[in-house]
């Protein structure tokens, strides 16, 4: 604290007014002699809880060494200062993604281009690829592979009678050439990398009016390989969809990183980790307070399975159901939709491979990964998160094109875990350590009943940001709120979020981006645009840099107050005034 003030006196004046026992006169005195105040840990703790309105039972951030440092962190390191606006797109900007090195980022837009930017002090456009020659309508998503040598770009494909189809393109970062294209249906599967050279896409096969089958494919990025001995594609999973639902928004989580998280969100787990640690570990807690109000938790999700019906086999049950229909024993009369769903449920019982066992006891040294996606069981609106384990032998296109050998009664794959959100899911993002899954959703009315899968319940304008621990499959913390959305169910679109070590950010339809602190569960900043904010992205190597993309066709660059000061200090000072002064002195 003796090195000089980092917080301006005006800010200190404002925050001291939150203390009941400090009057204006003493505030002025403190602002003039604040070096002594900065050493008062109790005073800064009081300031922190009152200014940020945090429950007093929430412990200090585990990496903080003092309450003053913590107040300084939340005031000075939030990327809330606009430093640049990029206007090279001429239509809505839908998505942003950084390379793992942080040197590049990509943007997708309704103008049907994917642009690649150089992330320097002043960001500049490096390359732009127009996808219209490939019959695309627009680009919607991008992702760099783990070594930043390839870029996956997902878009909406305009084809005959395939309005819901998409396509994935792979672009080389060495010379920006298009290496391959893969069909992707429905388009909002988006696609993702499984490893350096293999990506996941989707396909959809209709079985009935509201029943379908989603197939997830593993594709080699280098589709030009032509050999009868080398596969470039292999089927990963085949999953039945009921009640007009489909698999969308796939992403991959690396299970091997769960035991060394960047930040533990459960306060009791922070305490346990700190008490057993023999040396200081970044972001592991040391405070003994317990949370005042336990975070609202959803019931532990269970593996999705149909109930046992007294030892009757699925095939016998299906035959019995048909016999009951023919003989008029099914009462009350079922609608066509209910009949299709019932038959599909009975059929899938006898044609589904059992789920993987011990999903929660994954070896931390294993190469196992989770495939995470949105799905549903009641309506077409995505309201569940499905999780499927990908085993090491499944991570290559080698072997049979249709995957490993199956028994004749294993036509479909089951989900290993299902998390029910009870609302329309409009965004998902993983923490950098892949331990936590953040989910944007718009809630359904409490106790609502869905009688028609084509008529989902109305959705709230408030967006809930849920947090799930993928190691325990439970919800942690209370849902974050501040951002809003207004479009109805049938027009609802994806709003991308991003997570850094300490912060989580999201777009919204209220013309703002939002930033929250992951530890304290508080909203720290609103970032203004002139239209809907579709996507946000933290630099993976510098969380004090954030990008936001909007329907107003701009990409805004935001840096923290500290980063702005450092950047301004590095700029050379103007010499014209000094030169003029010297000339005047000589004359």
């Amino acid at each position: 604290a003796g090195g000089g003030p980092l917080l301006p006196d005006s800010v200190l004046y404002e925050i001291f007014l939150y203390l009941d026992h400090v009057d204006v006169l003493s505030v002025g005195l403190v602002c003039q002699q604040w070096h002594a105040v900065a050493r008062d840990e109790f005073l800064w703790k009081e300031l922190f809880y009152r200014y940020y309105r945090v429950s007093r039972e929430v412990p200090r951030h585990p990496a903080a060494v003092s309450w003053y440092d913590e107040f300084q962190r939340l005031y000075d390191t939030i990327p809330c200062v606009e430093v640049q606006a990029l206007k090279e797109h001429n239509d809505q900007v839908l998505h942003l993604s950084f390379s793992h090195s942080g040197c590049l980022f990509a943007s997708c837009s309704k103008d049907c281009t994917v642009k690649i930017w150089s992330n320097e002090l002043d960001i500049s456009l490096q390359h732009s690829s127009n996808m219209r020659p490939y019959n695309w309508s627009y680009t919607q998503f991008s992702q760099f592979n783990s070594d930043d040598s390839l870029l996956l770009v997902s878009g909406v494909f305009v084809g005959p009678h395939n309005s819901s189809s998409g396509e994935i393109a792979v672009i080389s970062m060495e010379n920006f050439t298009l290496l391959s294209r893969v069909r992707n249906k429905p388009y909002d599967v988006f696609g993702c990398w499984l490893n350096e050279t293999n990506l996941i896409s989707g396909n959809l096969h209709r079985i009935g009016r509201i029943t379908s089958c989603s197939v997830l494919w593993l594709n080699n990025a280098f589709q030009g390989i032509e050999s009868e001995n080398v596969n470039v594609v292999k089927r990963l999973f085949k999953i039945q969809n009921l009640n007009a639902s489909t698999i969308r928004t796939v992403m991959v989580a690396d299970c091997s990183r769960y035991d060394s998280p960047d930040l533990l969100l459960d306060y009791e787990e922070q305490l346990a980790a700190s008490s057993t640690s023999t040396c200081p570990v970044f972001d592991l807690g040391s405070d003994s307070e317990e949370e005042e109000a336990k975070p609202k938790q959803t019931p532990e999700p269970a593996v999705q399975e149909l109930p046992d019906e007294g030892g009757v086999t699925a095939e016998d049950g299906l035959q019995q159901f048909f016999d009951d229909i023919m003989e008029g024993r099914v009462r009350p009369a079922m609608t066509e939709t209910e009949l299709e769903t019932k038959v599909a449920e009975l059929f899938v019982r006898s044609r589904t491979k059992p789920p993987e066992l011990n999903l929660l006891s994954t070896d931390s040294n294993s190469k196992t990964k989770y495939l995470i996606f949105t799905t549903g069981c009641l309506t077409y609106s995505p309201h569940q998160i499905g999780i499927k384990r990908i085993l090491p032998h499944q991570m290559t296109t080698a072997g049979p094109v249709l995957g490993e050998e199956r028994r004749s009664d294993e036509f479909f794959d089951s989900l290993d875990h299902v998390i029910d959100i009870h609302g329309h899911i409009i965004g998902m993002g993983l923490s950098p350590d892949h331990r936590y899954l953040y989910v944007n959703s718009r809630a359904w009315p409490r106790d609502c009943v869905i009688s028609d899968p084509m008529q989902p319940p109305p959705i709230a304008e408030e967006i809930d940001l849920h947090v799930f621990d993928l190691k325990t499959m439970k919800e942690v913390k209370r849902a974050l709120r501040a951002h809003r959305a207004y479009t109805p169910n049938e027009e609802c679109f994806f709003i991308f979020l991003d997570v850094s070590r300490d912060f989580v950010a999201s777009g919204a339809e209220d013309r703002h981006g939002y930033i929250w602190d992951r530890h304290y569960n508080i909203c720290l900043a609103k970032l203004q645009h002139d239209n809907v904010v579709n996507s946000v992205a933290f630099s993976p190597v510098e969380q004090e840099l954030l990008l936001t993309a909007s329907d107003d066709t701009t990409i805004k660059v935001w840096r923290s107050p500290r980063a702005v000061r450092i950047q301004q200090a590095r700029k050379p000072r103007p010499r014209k005034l000094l030169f003029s002064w010297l000339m005047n002195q000589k004359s």
Side-chain angles (χ1 to χ4, degrees):
L6 292 177
L7 293 175
D9 277 0
S10 59
V11 176
L12 286 172
Y13 182 90
E14 177 188 353
I15 60 181
F16 275 120
L17 292 179
Y18 280 80
L19 294 180
D20 297 334
H21 60 277
V22 177
D23 57 25
V24 175
L25 181 63
S26 59
V27 167
L29 181 64
V30 165
C31 288
Q32 295 174 12
Q33 300 177 342
W34 76 282
H35 294 82
V37 177
R39 298 187 180 95
D40 190 335
E41 183 71 356
F42 173 78
L43 183 58
W44 281 106
K45 181 177 180 179
E46 191 77 6
L47 276 171
F48 186 91
Y49 282 126
R50 294 193 179 216
Y51 186 75
Y52 289 109
R53 299 178 182 179
V54 178
S55 168
R56 294 179 180 275
E57 300 304 320
V58 176
R60 193 174 67 201
H61 190 289
V65 296
S66 70
W67 283 105
Y68 170 77
D69 287 342
E70 195 61 349
F71 198 105
Q72 176 73 24
R73 177 179 74 87
L74 294 190
Y75 168 76
D76 215 25
T77 67
I78 308 302
C80 58
V81 180
E82 181 184 340
V83 296
Q84 195 173 355
L86 309 174
K87 301 182 179 181
E88 278 77 356
H89 284 289
N90 55 35
D91 207 336
Q92 302 169 3
V93 188
L94 302 180
H95 185 256
L96 299 164
S97 65
F98 268 100
S99 63
H100 294 82
S101 67
C103 296
L104 301 171
F105 69 87
S107 58
C108 295
S109 169
K110 281 288 185 73
D111 65 14
C112 207
T113 66
V114 54
K115 297 186 187 299
I116 297 158
W117 308 78
S118 179
N119 181 27
E120 299 172 347
L121 198 57
D122 286 322
I123 292 171
S124 59
L125 180 63
Q126 187 169 346
H127 177 78
S128 180
S129 293
N130 183 10
M131 301 304 293
R132 289 201 192 279
Y134 305 101
N135 216 24
W136 284 28
S137 178
Y138 57 89
T139 60
Q140 60 174 351
F141 175 83
S142 65
Q143 185 182 47
F144 289 84
N145 70 341
S146 58
D147 63 5
D148 294 334
S149 62
L150 302 173
L151 179 67
L152 177 155
V153 182
S154 173
V156 176
F157 181 80
V158 181
H161 312 296
N162 282 324
S163 58
S164 65
S165 288
E167 197 168 72
I168 295 172
V170 178
I171 298 175
S172 169
M173 288 294 96
E174 182 179 359
N175 50 18
F176 303 114
T177 56
L178 181 64
L179 298 178
S180 59
R181 291 158 57 203
V182 175
R183 189 57 61 88
N184 191 41
K185 185 178 181 181
Y187 63 85
D188 49 4
V189 169
F190 294 118
C192 66
W193 290 105
L194 178 60
N195 48 42
E196 291 84 353
T197 58
N198 293 297
L199 59 100
I200 297 174
S201 66
N203 202 354
L204 183 66
H205 303 280
R206 295 291 178 186
I207 299 175
R209 191 176 72 88
I210 59 170
T211 308
S212 64
C213 172
S214 288
V215 181
L216 298 171
W217 293 91
L218 185 64
N219 308 268
N220 193 298
F222 302 95
Q223 295 279 317
I225 299 175
E226 293 183 3
S227 169
E228 61 184 18
N229 299 319
V230 178
N231 289 339
V232 295
V233 64
K234 184 173 75 173
R235 186 174 69 189
L236 269 180
F237 304 116
K238 189 175 184 180
I239 299 169
Q240 188 190 44
N241 305 310
L242 301 175
N243 289 321
S245 64
T246 61
I247 287 178
R248 315 163 191 238
T249 320
V250 297
M251 60 179 58
V252 172
D254 185 354
C255 308
S256 65
R257 302 162 65 181
Y258 289 174
D259 291 331
S260 55
D262 295 330
L263 176 68
L264 289 170
L265 296 184
D266 184 274
Y267 301 136
E268 294 181 0
E269 192 176 0
Q270 285 182 12
L271 178 62
S274 64
S275 63
T276 58
S277 178
T278 57
C279 61
V281 179
F282 184 75
D283 273 344
L284 294 183
S286 59
D287 290 281
S288 59
E289 292 99 335
E290 294 182 356
E291 193 174 9
E292 180 179 34
K294 292 294 183 181
K296 178 183 176 182
Q297 292 187 351
T298 57
E300 182 174 351
V303 173
Q304 190 178 47
E305 56 185 358
L306 292 170
D308 184 22
E309 297 182 359
V312 179
T313 66
E315 291 186 355
D316 291 343
L318 185 59
Q319 184 60 52
Q320 182 64 50
F321 180 66
F322 286 145
D323 292 343
D324 290 343
I325 293 176
M326 297 301 295
E327 297 178 14
R329 291 195 295 265
V330 177
R331 294 288 187 272
M334 301 179 71
T335 65
E336 182 179 342
T337 297
E338 293 171 334
L339 178 61
E340 181 179 328
T341 300
K342 181 64 175 179
V343 171
E345 288 176 344
L346 289 169
F347 177 78
V348 78
R349 287 187 60 209
S350 62
R351 293 291 185 270
T352 300
K353 185 178 179 180
E356 300 289 343
L357 300 177
N358 301 320
L359 183 65
L360 302 182
S361 61
T362 304
D363 184 1
S364 61
N365 297 319
S366 170
K367 295 182 179 180
T368 299
K369 297 181 179 181
Y370 287 161
L371 181 64
I372 301 172
F373 45 86
T374 63
T375 182
C377 63
L378 302 175
T379 178
Y380 69 81
S381 173
H383 55 277
Q384 292 180 321
I385 299 169
I387 299 177
K388 185 69 180 174
R389 179 184 294 185
I390 306 175
L391 300 175
H393 72 273
Q394 297 174 308
M395 298 184 192
T396 173
T397 55
V401 172
L402 297 181
E404 59 190 22
E405 293 294 329
R406 299 164 176 258
R407 299 202 315 262
S408 59
D409 59 346
E410 294 180 347
F411 190 76
F412 298 110
D413 294 288
S414 60
L415 305 185
D416 295 329
H417 213 80
V418 175
I419 300 173
D420 200 304
I421 300 297
H422 194 73
H424 191 128
I425 299 171
I426 60 169
M428 293 198 303
L430 288 166
S431 59
D433 53 25
H434 287 205
R435 171 74 180 263
Y436 298 98
L437 178 68
Y438 286 74
V439 180
N440 267 337
S441 75
R442 296 173 61 183
W444 290 338
R446 187 184 298 273
D447 301 325
C448 65
V449 176
I450 301 175
S451 57
D452 182 356
M454 304 309 294
Q455 297 291 329
I459 50 180
E461 289 187 354
E462 295 83 5
I463 302 176
D464 294 326
L465 183 51
H466 301 273
V467 191
F468 295 94
D469 187 340
L470 292 178
K471 187 173 182 179
T472 63
M473 298 296 172
K474 293 182 178 180
E475 185 169 4
V476 294
K477 302 274 191 182
R478 286 179 290 272
L480 301 172
R481 272 191 175 182
H483 48 331
R484 302 175 73 87
Y486 307 109
T487 51
N489 250 317
E490 62 274 11
E491 301 174 15
C492 200
F493 54 87
F494 216 72
I495 293 179
F496 293 93
L497 57 93
D498 197 25
V499 189
S500 71
R501 186 190 65 213
D502 295 315
F503 309 128
V504 55
S506 174
E509 292 185 42
D510 58 11
R511 302 183 179 185
H512 288 88
Y514 290 81
I515 303 175
W516 295 265
D517 183 83
R518 294 178 59 197
H519 176 76
Y520 296 107
N521 243 34
I522 53 175
C523 185
L524 297 170
K526 292 175 64 175
L527 313 175
Q528 187 167 2
H529 273 267
D530 294 330
N531 212 322
V532 172
V533 178
N534 296 305
S535 180
V536 296
F538 286 102
S539 167
V541 296
E542 183 188 3
Q543 67 174 358
E544 294 179 41
L545 169 61
L546 178 71
L547 307 174
T548 56
S550 171
D551 279 359
D552 63 16
T553 76
T554 64
I555 300 169
K556 289 191 176 183
V557 184
W558 308 82
R559 294 186 184 274
S560 67
R562 179 174 69 175
V564 171
R565 285 199 311 273
I566 294 173
Q567 181 177 345
Q568 292 175 342
R570 290 174 179 171
K571 291 183 177 180
R573 295 181 178 179
R575 304 179 61 86
K576 288 184 177 180
L577 293 177
L578 177 61
F579 180 75
S580 300
W581 180 81
L582 288 173
M583 293 302 292
N584 291 333
Q585 292 298 314
K586 288 182 179 181
S587 61

